[in-house]
Amino acid sequence: RDMRLELFPNPNATGALQLLVGDKFVGGKLQVYNATGQLVVSRVIENTLTTIDISYLAGGVYTVSLQSAGGIISRRLMVTK
């Protein structure tokens, strides 16, 4: 439970992505990469439930990575337009 990273909605067409993370990841670094490996979002997670604006992202598959002292966890995100 402490190593949790849930993304919703996924697939995402709303432009607002909610992340539910375990306690160990609060204060961790969230990074989102596009299919070519380019960093498109970077921010610090301040709460176990966080909403980020992804309305500017093109449709496609992204990798969401969260890193903290507790470890690293990654998930795939599908953005549809």
Side-chain angles (χ1 to χ4, degrees):
R1 187 172 170 100
D2 283 338
M3 297 293 286
R4 172 174 51 185
L5 171 57
E6 296 179 29
L7 311 174
F8 50 94
N10 190 13
N12 190 299
T14 68
L17 177 66
Q18 291 191 322
L19 297 98
L20 182 61
V21 303
D23 293 335
K24 289 186 177 186
F25 288 112
V26 173
K29 184 183 217 178
L30 172 77
Q31 296 179 311
V32 180
Y33 298 91
N34 65 17
T36 62
Q38 179 184 10
L39 180 65
V40 294
V41 176
S42 181
R43 73 165 33 176
V44 173
I45 297 297
E46 297 178 359
N47 298 297
T48 56
L49 182 60
T50 302
T51 302
I52 60 171
D53 175 20
I54 59 167
S55 61
Y56 58 92
L57 294 180
V61 177
Y62 294 82
T63 300
V64 178
S65 177
L66 186 54
Q67 178 178 351
S68 75
I72 300 173
I73 194 166
S74 296
R75 297 284 184 264
R76 294 268 187 229
L77 169 66
M78 173 68 80
V79 174
T80 58
K81 295 286 182 177

Coordinates of all heavy atoms in Angstrom, one line a residue:
R1 N 0.8 -1.2 0.0 CA 0.0 0.0 0.0 C 0.9 1.3 0.0 O 0.5 2.2 -0.6 CB -0.9 0.0 1.2 CG -1.9 1.1 1.2 CD -2.9 0.8 2.3 NE -3.8 2.0 2.5 CZ -5.0 2.1 2.0 NH1 -5.5 1.1 1.4 NH2 -5.7 3.2 2.2
D2 N 2.0 1.3 0.7 CA 2.8 2.4 0.7 C 3.6 2.6 -0.6 O 4.0 3.7 -0.9 CB 3.9 2.3 1.8 CG 3.3 2.6 3.2 OD1 2.3 3.2 3.3 OD2 3.9 2.1 4.2
M3 N 3.6 1.6 -1.5 CA 4.3 1.7 -2.7 C 3.3 1.9 -3.9 O 3.6 1.7 -5.0 CB 5.1 0.5 -3.0 CG 6.3 0.2 -2.0 SD 7.5 1.5 -2.1 CE 8.3 1.0 -3.6
R4 N 2.1 2.4 -3.6 CA 1.0 2.5 -4.5 C 1.2 3.7 -5.5 O 1.6 4.8 -5.0 CB -0.3 2.6 -3.8 CG -1.5 2.9 -4.7 CD -2.8 2.9 -3.9 NE -2.7 3.7 -2.7 CZ -3.7 3.7 -1.9 NH1 -4.8 3.0 -2.1 NH2 -3.6 4.5 -0.8
L5 N 0.9 3.6 -6.7 CA 0.8 4.6 -7.7 C -0.4 4.3 -8.6 O -0.3 3.4 -9.4 CB 2.0 4.8 -8.5 CG 1.9 5.8 -9.7 CD1 1.5 7.2 -9.2 CD2 3.3 5.9 -10.4
E6 N -1.5 5.0 -8.4 CA -2.7 4.7 -9.3 C -3.0 6.0 -10.1 O -2.9 7.1 -9.5 CB -3.9 4.4 -8.4 CG -3.7 3.1 -7.7 CD -4.9 2.8 -6.8 OE1 -6.1 3.2 -7.1 OE2 -4.7 2.1 -5.7
L7 N -3.3 5.8 -11.3 CA -3.6 6.9 -12.2 C -5.0 6.8 -12.7 O -5.5 5.8 -13.1 CB -2.7 6.9 -13.5 CG -1.2 6.7 -13.3 CD1 -0.5 6.5 -14.6 CD2 -0.6 7.9 -12.5
F8 N -5.8 7.9 -12.6 CA -7.1 7.9 -13.1 C -7.6 9.2 -13.6 O -7.1 10.2 -13.0 CB -8.1 7.2 -12.1 CG -8.0 7.8 -10.7 CD1 -8.9 8.8 -10.3 CD2 -7.1 7.3 -9.8 CE1 -8.8 9.3 -9.0 CE2 -7.0 7.8 -8.5 CZ -7.9 8.8 -8.1
P9 N -8.4 9.4 -14.6 CA -8.8 8.2 -15.4 C -7.7 7.8 -16.4 O -6.8 8.7 -16.7 CB -10.0 8.8 -16.3 CG -9.8 10.3 -16.3 CD -9.1 10.6 -15.0
N10 N -7.6 6.6 -16.7 CA -6.6 6.1 -17.6 C -7.3 5.0 -18.5 O -7.6 3.9 -17.9 CB -5.4 5.5 -16.8 CG -4.3 5.1 -17.7 OD1 -4.2 5.5 -18.9 ND2 -3.3 4.4 -17.2
P11 N -7.5 5.2 -19.8 CA -7.1 6.3 -20.6 C -7.7 7.6 -20.2 O -8.7 7.6 -19.6 CB -7.6 5.9 -22.0 CG -8.0 4.5 -21.9 CD -8.2 4.1 -20.5
N12 N -7.0 8.7 -20.5 CA -7.4 10.0 -20.1 C -7.7 10.9 -21.3 O -6.9 11.1 -22.2 CB -6.3 10.7 -19.3 CG -6.7 11.9 -18.6 OD1 -7.1 12.9 -19.3 ND2 -6.6 11.9 -17.3
A13 N -8.9 11.4 -21.3 CA -9.4 12.4 -22.3 C -9.8 13.7 -21.7 O -10.2 14.6 -22.4 CB -10.5 11.8 -23.1
T14 N -9.7 13.8 -20.4 CA -10.3 14.9 -19.6 C -9.3 16.1 -19.5 O -9.7 17.2 -19.3 CB -10.7 14.5 -18.2 OG1 -9.5 14.2 -17.4 CG2 -11.7 13.4 -18.2
G15 N -8.0 15.8 -19.6 CA -7.0 16.8 -19.4 C -6.6 17.0 -17.9 O -5.6 17.7 -17.6
A16 N -7.2 16.3 -17.0 CA -6.9 16.4 -15.6 C -6.6 14.9 -15.2 O -7.4 14.1 -15.3 CB -8.0 16.9 -14.8
L17 N -5.4 14.7 -14.7 CA -5.0 13.4 -14.2 C -4.9 13.4 -12.7 O -4.2 14.3 -12.1 CB -3.6 13.0 -14.8 CG -3.0 11.7 -14.4 CD1 -3.9 10.5 -14.9 CD2 -1.6 11.6 -14.9
Q18 N -5.5 12.4 -12.1 CA -5.4 12.3 -10.6 C -4.5 11.1 -10.3 O -4.5 10.1 -11.0 CB -6.8 12.0 -10.0 CG -7.7 13.2 -10.1 CD -8.9 13.0 -9.2 OE1 -9.5 12.0 -9.2 NE2 -9.3 14.1 -8.6
L19 N -3.6 11.4 -9.4 CA -2.7 10.4 -8.9 C -2.9 10.1 -7.5 O -3.0 11.0 -6.6 CB -1.2 10.9 -9.1 CG -0.8 11.2 -10.5 CD1 -0.9 12.7 -10.7 CD2 0.6 10.7 -10.6
L20 N -3.0 8.8 -7.1 CA -3.2 8.3 -5.8 C -1.9 7.6 -5.5 O -1.6 6.6 -6.1 CB -4.4 7.4 -5.6 CG -4.7 6.9 -4.2 CD1 -5.0 8.1 -3.3 CD2 -5.9 6.0 -4.3
V21 N -1.1 8.1 -4.5 CA 0.2 7.5 -4.2 C 0.2 7.0 -2.7 O -0.5 7.6 -1.9 CB 1.3 8.5 -4.5 CG1 1.3 9.0 -5.9 CG2 1.3 9.7 -3.5
G22 N 1.1 6.1 -2.5 CA 1.4 5.6 -1.1 C 2.1 6.7 -0.3 O 2.8 7.6 -0.9
D23 N 2.0 6.6 1.0 CA 2.7 7.5 1.9 C 4.2 7.7 1.6 O 4.7 8.8 1.8 CB 2.5 7.1 3.4 CG 1.1 7.2 3.8 OD1 0.3 8.0 3.2 OD2 0.7 6.5 4.7
K24 N 4.9 6.6 1.2 CA 6.3 6.7 1.0 C 6.7 7.6 -0.2 O 7.8 8.0 -0.3 CB 6.9 5.3 0.7 CG 6.9 4.4 2.0 CD 7.6 3.1 1.7 CE 7.7 2.3 3.0 NZ 8.4 1.1 2.9
F25 N 5.7 7.9 -1.1 CA 6.0 8.7 -2.2 C 5.6 10.2 -2.1 O 5.9 11.0 -2.9 CB 5.3 8.1 -3.5 CG 5.9 6.9 -3.9 CD1 5.3 5.7 -3.9 CD2 7.2 6.9 -4.5 CE1 5.9 4.5 -4.3 CE2 7.8 5.7 -4.9 CZ 7.2 4.5 -4.8
V26 N 5.0 10.5 -0.9 CA 4.7 12.0 -0.7 C 6.1 12.7 -0.5 O 7.0 12.2 0.2 CB 3.8 12.2 0.6 CG1 3.7 13.6 0.9 CG2 2.5 11.5 0.3
G27 N 6.3 13.7 -1.2 CA 7.6 14.4 -1.3 C 8.5 13.9 -2.4 O 9.6 14.5 -2.6
G28 N 8.0 12.9 -3.1 CA 8.8 12.3 -4.2 C 8.7 13.1 -5.5 O 7.8 14.0 -5.6
K29 N 9.4 12.8 -6.5 CA 9.5 13.5 -7.7 C 8.7 12.7 -8.8 O 9.0 11.5 -9.1 CB 10.9 13.6 -8.2 CG 11.1 14.4 -9.4 CD 12.6 14.4 -9.8 CE 13.0 15.7 -10.4 NZ 14.4 15.8 -10.7
L30 N 7.7 13.3 -9.4 CA 6.9 12.8 -10.4 C 7.5 13.2 -11.8 O 7.7 14.4 -11.9 CB 5.4 13.2 -10.3 CG 4.6 12.9 -11.5 CD1 4.2 11.4 -11.4 CD2 3.3 13.7 -11.6
Q31 N 7.7 12.3 -12.7 CA 8.1 12.7 -14.0 C 7.3 11.9 -15.1 O 7.0 10.7 -14.9 CB 9.6 12.3 -14.2 CG 10.5 13.2 -13.3 CD 12.0 12.9 -13.4 OE1 12.4 11.7 -13.4 NE2 12.8 13.9 -13.5
V32 N 6.9 12.6 -16.1 CA 6.2 12.0 -17.2 C 7.0 12.1 -18.5 O 7.4 13.2 -18.8 CB 4.8 12.6 -17.4 CG1 4.0 12.0 -18.5 CG2 4.0 12.6 -16.0
Y33 N 7.1 11.0 -19.2 CA 7.9 10.9 -20.4 C 7.0 10.5 -21.6 O 6.2 9.7 -21.4 CB 9.0 9.9 -20.3 CG 10.0 10.2 -19.2 CD1 9.9 9.8 -17.9 CD2 11.1 11.0 -19.5 CE1 10.8 10.1 -16.9 CE2 12.1 11.3 -18.5 CZ 11.9 10.8 -17.2 OH 12.8 11.1 -16.2
N34 N 7.2 11.1 -22.7 CA 6.5 10.7 -23.9 C 7.1 9.5 -24.5 O 8.1 9.0 -24.0 CB 6.4 11.9 -24.9 CG 7.7 12.3 -25.5 OD1 8.7 11.6 -25.4 ND2 7.7 13.5 -26.1
A35 N 6.6 9.0 -25.6 CA 7.0 7.8 -26.3 C 8.5 7.8 -26.7 O 9.1 6.8 -26.9 CB 6.1 7.4 -27.4
T36 N 9.0 9.0 -27.0 CA 10.4 9.1 -27.4 C 11.4 9.4 -26.3 O 12.6 9.6 -26.5 CB 10.6 10.3 -28.4 OG1 10.2 11.5 -27.8 CG2 9.7 10.1 -29.7
G37 N 10.8 9.4 -25.0 CA 11.7 9.5 -23.8 C 11.9 11.0 -23.4 O 12.7 11.2 -22.5
Q38 N 11.2 11.9 -24.0 CA 11.3 13.3 -23.6 C 10.5 13.6 -22.4 O 9.4 13.2 -22.3 CB 10.8 14.2 -24.8 CG 10.9 15.7 -24.5 CD 10.3 16.5 -25.6 OE1 9.7 16.0 -26.5 NE2 10.5 17.8 -25.5
L39 N 11.1 14.3 -21.4 CA 10.5 14.7 -20.2 C 9.4 15.8 -20.5 O 9.8 16.8 -21.0 CB 11.5 15.1 -19.2 CG 10.9 15.6 -17.8 CD1 10.3 14.4 -17.1 CD2 12.1 16.2 -17.0
V40 N 8.2 15.5 -20.2 CA 7.1 16.5 -20.5 C 6.4 17.1 -19.3 O 5.8 18.1 -19.3 CB 6.1 15.9 -21.5 CG1 6.7 15.6 -22.8 CG2 5.4 14.6 -20.9
V41 N 6.6 16.4 -18.1 CA 6.0 16.9 -16.8 C 7.0 16.5 -15.7 O 7.5 15.4 -15.7 CB 4.7 16.2 -16.5 CG1 4.2 16.7 -15.1 CG2 3.6 16.5 -17.6
S42 N 7.3 17.5 -14.8 CA 8.1 17.2 -13.7 C 7.6 18.0 -12.5 O 7.4 19.2 -12.6 CB 9.6 17.6 -14.0 OG 10.4 17.3 -12.8
R43 N 7.3 17.3 -11.4 CA 6.9 18.1 -10.2 C 7.0 17.2 -9.0 O 7.2 16.0 -9.1 CB 5.4 18.5 -10.4 CG 4.4 17.4 -10.3 CD 3.0 17.9 -10.1 NE 2.8 19.1 -10.8 CZ 1.7 19.8 -10.9 NH1 0.6 19.3 -10.3 NH2 1.6 20.9 -11.5
V44 N 7.0 17.8 -7.8 CA 7.0 17.2 -6.5 C 5.6 16.8 -6.1 O 4.7 17.7 -6.2 CB 7.8 18.1 -5.5 CG1 7.7 17.4 -4.1 CG2 9.2 18.3 -5.9
I45 N 5.4 15.6 -5.6 CA 4.1 15.2 -5.1 C 4.0 15.6 -3.6 O 4.9 15.2 -2.8 CB 4.0 13.6 -5.2 CG1 4.0 13.2 -6.7 CG2 2.7 13.2 -4.5 CD1 2.9 13.8 -7.5
E46 N 3.0 16.4 -3.3 CA 2.9 16.9 -1.9 C 1.8 16.3 -1.1 O 1.8 16.5 0.1 CB 2.6 18.4 -2.0 CG 3.8 19.2 -2.7 CD 3.5 20.7 -2.8 OE1 2.5 21.1 -2.5 OE2 4.4 21.4 -3.4
N47 N 0.9 15.5 -1.7 CA -0.2 14.8 -1.0 C -0.4 13.4 -1.6 O 0.1 13.2 -2.7 CB -1.5 15.6 -1.2 CG -1.4 17.0 -0.6 OD1 -1.2 17.1 0.6 ND2 -1.5 18.0 -1.4
T48 N -1.1 12.6 -0.9 CA -1.3 11.2 -1.4 C -2.3 11.3 -2.6 O -2.3 10.4 -3.4 CB -1.9 10.3 -0.3 OG1 -3.0 10.9 0.3 CG2 -0.8 10.0 0.8
L49 N -3.1 12.3 -2.7 CA -4.0 12.5 -3.8 C -3.7 13.8 -4.5 O -3.8 14.9 -3.9 CB -5.5 12.5 -3.4 CG -6.5 12.6 -4.5 CD1 -6.4 11.5 -5.5 CD2 -7.9 12.7 -4.0
T50 N -3.3 13.8 -5.7 CA -2.8 15.0 -6.5 C -3.5 15.0 -7.8 O -3.6 13.9 -8.5 CB -1.3 14.9 -6.7 OG1 -0.6 14.8 -5.4 CG2 -0.7 16.1 -7.4
T51 N -3.8 16.2 -8.3 CA -4.4 16.4 -9.6 C -3.4 17.2 -10.4 O -3.0 18.3 -9.9 CB -5.8 17.0 -9.6 OG1 -6.7 16.2 -8.8 CG2 -6.3 17.2 -11.0
I52 N -3.1 16.8 -11.6 CA -2.2 17.6 -12.5 C -2.9 17.8 -13.8 O -3.6 17.0 -14.3 CB -0.8 16.9 -12.7 CG1 -0.9 15.6 -13.3 CG2 0.0 16.8 -11.4 CD1 0.5 15.0 -13.8
D53 N -2.6 19.0 -14.4 CA -3.1 19.4 -15.7 C -2.2 18.7 -16.8 O -1.0 19.0 -16.9 CB -3.1 20.9 -15.8 CG -3.5 21.4 -17.2 OD1 -4.2 20.6 -17.9 OD2 -3.2 22.5 -17.5
I54 N -2.9 17.9 -17.6 CA -2.2 17.3 -18.8 C -2.9 17.7 -20.1 O -2.7 17.0 -21.1 CB -2.0 15.8 -18.6 CG1 -3.4 15.1 -18.5 CG2 -1.1 15.4 -17.4 CD1 -3.3 13.6 -18.6
S55 N -3.7 18.7 -20.0 CA -4.5 19.1 -21.2 C -3.6 19.4 -22.4 O -4.0 19.3 -23.5 CB -5.4 20.2 -20.9 OG -4.7 21.4 -20.5
Y56 N -2.4 19.9 -22.2 CA -1.5 20.3 -23.2 C -0.7 19.1 -23.9 O -0.1 19.3 -24.9 CB -0.5 21.3 -22.7 CG 0.4 20.8 -21.6 CD1 1.6 20.2 -21.8 CD2 -0.1 20.9 -20.3 CE1 2.4 19.7 -20.8 CE2 0.7 20.4 -19.2 CZ 1.9 19.8 -19.5 OH 2.6 19.4 -18.4
L57 N -0.9 17.9 -23.3 CA -0.2 16.7 -23.9 C -0.9 16.2 -25.1 O -2.1 16.1 -25.1 CB -0.1 15.6 -22.8 CG 0.8 15.9 -21.6 CD1 0.8 14.7 -20.7 CD2 2.2 16.3 -22.0
A58 N -0.1 15.8 -26.1 CA -0.7 15.2 -27.3 C -1.2 13.8 -27.0 O -0.8 13.2 -26.0 CB 0.3 15.2 -28.4
G59 N -2.1 13.3 -27.8 CA -2.6 11.9 -27.6 C -1.4 11.0 -27.8 O -0.5 11.2 -28.6
G60 N -1.4 9.9 -27.0 CA -0.4 8.9 -27.1 C -0.1 8.2 -25.8 O -0.9 8.4 -24.8
V61 N 0.9 7.4 -25.8 CA 1.3 6.6 -24.6 C 2.4 7.3 -23.8 O 3.4 7.7 -24.5 CB 1.7 5.2 -24.9 CG1 2.1 4.4 -23.7 CG2 0.5 4.5 -25.6
Y62 N 2.3 7.5 -22.5 CA 3.3 8.1 -21.7 C 3.7 7.2 -20.6 O 3.0 6.3 -20.2 CB 2.7 9.4 -21.1 CG 2.5 10.5 -22.2 CD1 1.3 10.4 -22.9 CD2 3.4 11.5 -22.4 CE1 1.0 11.4 -23.9 CE2 3.1 12.4 -23.4 CZ 2.0 12.4 -24.1 OH 1.7 13.3 -25.1
T63 N 4.9 7.4 -20.1 CA 5.4 6.7 -18.9 C 5.4 7.7 -17.7 O 6.0 8.7 -17.8 CB 6.8 6.1 -19.1 OG1 6.8 5.2 -20.2 CG2 7.3 5.4 -17.9
V64 N 4.7 7.3 -16.7 CA 4.7 8.1 -15.5 C 5.6 7.4 -14.4 O 5.4 6.3 -14.1 CB 3.2 8.2 -14.9 CG1 3.2 9.0 -13.6 CG2 2.3 8.8 -15.9
S65 N 6.6 8.2 -14.0 CA 7.5 7.6 -13.0 C 7.5 8.4 -11.8 O 7.5 9.7 -11.8 CB 8.9 7.7 -13.7 OG 9.9 7.2 -12.8
L66 N 7.6 7.8 -10.6 CA 7.6 8.4 -9.3 C 8.7 7.9 -8.5 O 8.9 6.7 -8.4 CB 6.2 8.2 -8.6 CG 6.0 8.9 -7.3 CD1 6.2 10.4 -7.4 CD2 4.6 8.6 -6.8
Q67 N 9.6 8.8 -8.1 CA 10.8 8.4 -7.3 C 10.8 9.1 -6.0 O 10.6 10.3 -5.9 CB 12.0 8.8 -8.2 CG 13.3 8.5 -7.5 CD 14.5 8.8 -8.4 OE1 14.4 9.1 -9.6 NE2 15.7 8.8 -7.8
S68 N 11.2 8.4 -5.0 CA 11.4 8.9 -3.6 C 12.4 8.0 -2.9 O 12.9 7.1 -3.5 CB 10.1 9.0 -2.9 OG 9.7 7.7 -2.4
A69 N 12.7 8.4 -1.7 CA 13.6 7.5 -0.9 C 13.0 6.1 -0.7 O 13.8 5.2 -0.5 CB 13.8 8.2 0.5
G70 N 11.7 6.0 -0.9 CA 11.1 4.7 -0.8 C 11.2 3.8 -2.0 O 10.9 2.6 -1.9
G71 N 11.7 4.4 -3.1 CA 11.9 3.6 -4.3 C 11.4 4.3 -5.5 O 11.1 5.5 -5.5
I72 N 11.3 3.5 -6.6 CA 10.9 4.1 -7.9 C 9.7 3.2 -8.4 O 9.8 1.9 -8.3 CB 12.0 4.1 -9.0 CG1 13.1 4.9 -8.5 CG2 11.5 4.5 -10.3 CD1 14.4 4.9 -9.4
I73 N 8.7 3.8 -8.9 CA 7.6 3.0 -9.5 C 7.1 3.7 -10.8 O 7.2 4.9 -10.9 CB 6.4 2.9 -8.5 CG1 5.4 1.8 -8.9 CG2 5.8 4.2 -8.2 CD1 4.5 1.4 -7.8
S74 N 6.7 2.9 -11.8 CA 6.3 3.5 -13.1 C 5.0 2.9 -13.5 O 4.7 1.7 -13.2 CB 7.4 3.2 -14.1 OG 8.6 3.9 -13.8
R75 N 4.2 3.7 -14.3 CA 3.0 3.2 -14.8 C 2.9 3.8 -16.2 O 3.4 4.8 -16.6 CB 1.8 3.7 -14.0 CG 1.7 3.2 -12.6 CD 1.2 1.7 -12.6 NE 1.1 1.2 -11.3 CZ 2.0 0.6 -10.6 NH1 3.1 0.3 -11.1 NH2 1.7 0.1 -9.4
R76 N 2.1 3.1 -17.1 CA 1.8 3.7 -18.4 C 0.5 4.5 -18.4 O -0.4 4.1 -17.7 CB 1.6 2.5 -19.4 CG 2.8 1.7 -19.7 CD 3.6 2.3 -20.8 NE 4.7 1.4 -21.2 CZ 5.9 1.8 -21.3 NH1 6.2 3.1 -21.3 NH2 6.9 1.0 -21.6
L77 N 0.5 5.6 -19.1 CA -0.7 6.4 -19.2 C -1.0 6.6 -20.7 O -0.2 6.9 -21.5 CB -0.4 7.8 -18.6 CG -1.4 8.9 -18.8 CD1 -2.7 8.6 -18.1 CD2 -0.9 10.2 -18.4
M78 N -2.3 6.4 -21.0 CA -2.8 6.6 -22.4 C -3.6 7.9 -22.4 O -4.5 8.1 -21.6 CB -3.7 5.5 -22.8 CG -4.4 5.7 -24.2 SD -3.2 5.7 -25.6 CE -3.0 4.0 -25.8
V79 N -3.1 8.9 -23.2 CA -3.9 10.1 -23.4 C -4.6 10.1 -24.7 O -3.9 9.8 -25.8 CB -2.9 11.3 -23.3 CG1 -3.6 12.6 -23.7 CG2 -2.2 11.4 -22.0
T80 N -5.9 10.3 -24.7 CA -6.7 10.4 -26.0 C -7.2 11.8 -26.1 O -7.5 12.5 -25.2 CB -7.8 9.4 -25.9 OG1 -8.6 9.6 -24.8 CG2 -7.3 7.9 -25.8
K81 N -7.3 12.2 -27.4 CA -7.8 13.5 -27.7 C -9.1 13.4 -28.5 O -9.3 12.5 -29.2 CB -6.8 14.4 -28.4 CG -5.6 14.7 -27.6 CD -5.9 15.7 -26.6 CE -4.7 16.0 -25.7 NZ -4.9 17.1 -24.8

